[in-house]
Amino acid sequence: MGMNRREFLQILAIASAGGFVLNSNESWAASDAARMYDLPRKGNVSLLHITDSHAQLNPVFFREPEINLGIGAMRGNPPHLVGNALLKHFGVKPGTQQAHAYTSLDYVEAARHYGKVGGFAHLATLVKQVRAARPGALLLDGGDTWQGTGQAMWTNGQDMVDACLQLGVDVMTMHWECTYGADRVKEIEAQLQGKMDIVAHNVKTNDFGDPVFKPYVIKEMNGVPVAIIGQAFPYSTIANPRYFVPDWSYGIQEDNLQEVINEARGKGAQVVVLLSHNGMDVDLKLASRVTGLDAILGGHTHDGIPAPIPVKNAGGVTLVTNAGSNGKFLGVLDFEVKGGKIKGFHYKLLPVFSNLLAADKEMAALIQKHRAPYAAKLDEKLATTDGLLYRRGNFNGSFDQVILDALMKEKDAPIAFSPGFRWGTSLLPGADITMEDVLNQTAITYPFTTLTEMTGAQIKTILEDVGDNLFNPDPYYQQGGDMVRVGGLEYTCEPGAAMGKRIQDMRLNGKPLDANKTYKVAGWAPVSEAARDKGGEPIWDLVARHLRNEKVIKVTAPNVPKLKGVAGNPGMV
């Protein structure tokens, strides 16, 4: 049963006064916590939004990027703002808890001060409070929910399915969910029947083009029909192995989306939103080209954006949002609808600080139940770190560097590649590195490690291809990940250059890479069926062995390329 607003604020005040808020000597005032989470209803249609939880059921540290470059028309515009540039654009005061939530500024000091973020038990408390003031409010999940931890992988996503049902998710779309395979996804959909809807207008069968999921649902809220259209990640069968969903096709499908919008409007929907896993740049372009969408609640690129971006199109204006990742944020969008028309809106992206939100007892018990069978393995201490370990950013992070170093040493290779995944939590200096932490960076259903001989020309082709996925000036050709992480090899990157010319001056041990010479390259997460059939040691076993041997990880500066043509870009701290 949900708390009312007064009860919730009393709990915040009691918790703060009792020292619950911080682990440091300083403390936030109870009034600060109350102001953060006191969100009175400002409309009669309310949509709550989470996305890209990546199976993180417990509170975590998660460092936002210090580099998220926008190229061409995207330069200097959200989501390609970091640090003080982001704070200035959205009017967020530096040095505050909100500034810590949105940026990497003074990260270690601020993280120690403000504590961990997320955790479904803490999120559940917040969801109940926000919903208590909003009768009929819908909770929407943008996907990348069932994948990202060892526990989720070992339960085939069941721990997250149960947690989302407990949280009260009404509608979801997907991306990484499909790496459990088509049969498992449809099995879960059957479990959810009558409890939660999976929507995706752009997933169809290869043979006859039949919809695999419901394209949309219409829910009535306070007498207002609201349509939620789903948009699964368009490049799922390119970014991830096709063999998991061999009979499904994806794509942006702009024309089909317009037809679905028109159909929902024709059935009486007065509010129409897209629950998207496109990535924010794609959503911004899409919003400019289709009509009839009131908002896009977006995900995939993990951007925590404090306010919606209004995008003009031939039919009016569409609000584009993105709600971060790892359970770190809850987006709340209120519409005021009168006479069948939207008269106003209010949006708030709420950071989920676990030290400020008491854990919901029912959710905490469910989390403990799922963790218990795996706790001993997850809690194994492998090593300690003397510096900050993180992943998120356009180029190598320090946790990526640990994985690359492990690959090069264990595979006896001078070069290593690791995927530019945007999921993966952070560890503060001095922390133990556990098996759970390693799995938080590596838990996928195609974890095979590889050792491949490549020519210098082939290496350049790979880097150019991934670079184009990240920096193509047309968002529809972007795939939303970050640059492949590179170990051993030094190079220069010019993000604004043309395809084939972004990667320059590749060097190994100070010597130029020979286009015709063959080099050993270690890697993991291959997408081909041949690599699957060949097998290969799971990446987490390789990294765990490396960490046990090292015992203490000396964190050095990640192997980031030299960058050209980006001076003054507000996408870099």
Side-chain angles (χ1 to χ4, degrees), residues 86-97:
L86 182 148
L87 300 181
K88 182 177 180 181
H89 182 91
F90 289 105
V92 178
K93 185 177 179 182
T96 61
Q97 58 265 46

Side-chain angles (χ1 to χ4, degrees), residues 20-35:
F20 178 71
V21 174
L22 290 175
N23 295 322
S24 68
N25 293 327
E26 299 181 70
S27 65
W28 287 335
S31 58
D32 289 343
R35 281 196 297 268

Side-chain angles (χ1 to χ4, degrees), residues 367-479:
I367 292 170
Q368 178 58 30
K369 172 188 170 184
H370 276 294
R371 183 183 175 83
Y374 311 107
K377 186 170 183 178
L378 293 171
D379 291 339
E380 182 193 354
K381 176 185 170 182
L382 303 172
T384 58
T385 176
D386 74 352
L388 174 67
L389 293 179
Y390 64 91
R391 169 175 279 168
R392 180 72 175 90
N394 282 163
F395 301 99
N396 287 26
S398 53
F399 218 134
D400 297 304
Q401 197 65 51
V402 170
I403 295 171
L404 292 164
D405 291 346
L407 280 166
M408 289 187 290
K409 186 168 186 178
E410 297 293 323
K411 293 285 191 181
D412 190 25
I415 300 171
F417 288 163
S418 185
F421 294 146
R422 291 194 169 188
W423 51 274
T425 56
S426 305
L427 285 177
L428 300 187
D432 291 337
I433 307 173
T434 66
M435 191 66 189
E436 182 170 27
D437 297 319
V438 171
L439 288 161
N440 283 347
Q441 310 289 325
T442 60
I444 63 174
T445 53
Y446 52 108
F448 318 110
T449 53
T450 60
L451 184 63
T452 309
E453 291 194 348
M454 299 182 187
T455 65
Q458 289 173 322
I459 291 171
K460 184 177 191 299
T461 297
I462 290 171
L463 294 179
E464 289 282 6
D465 185 56
V466 180
D468 195 59
N469 289 341
L470 179 61
F471 296 121
N472 194 298
D474 185 343
Y476 279 10
Y477 291 95
Q478 297 174 9
Q479 294 179 19

Side-chain angles (χ1 to χ4, degrees), residues 488-490 505-514 517 519:
L489 180 71
E490 296 178 340
D505 193 26
M506 298 186 298
R507 291 178 178 268
L508 185 62
N509 298 322
K511 298 179 180 179
L513 210 65
D514 187 330
K517 185 178 176 180
Y519 302 87

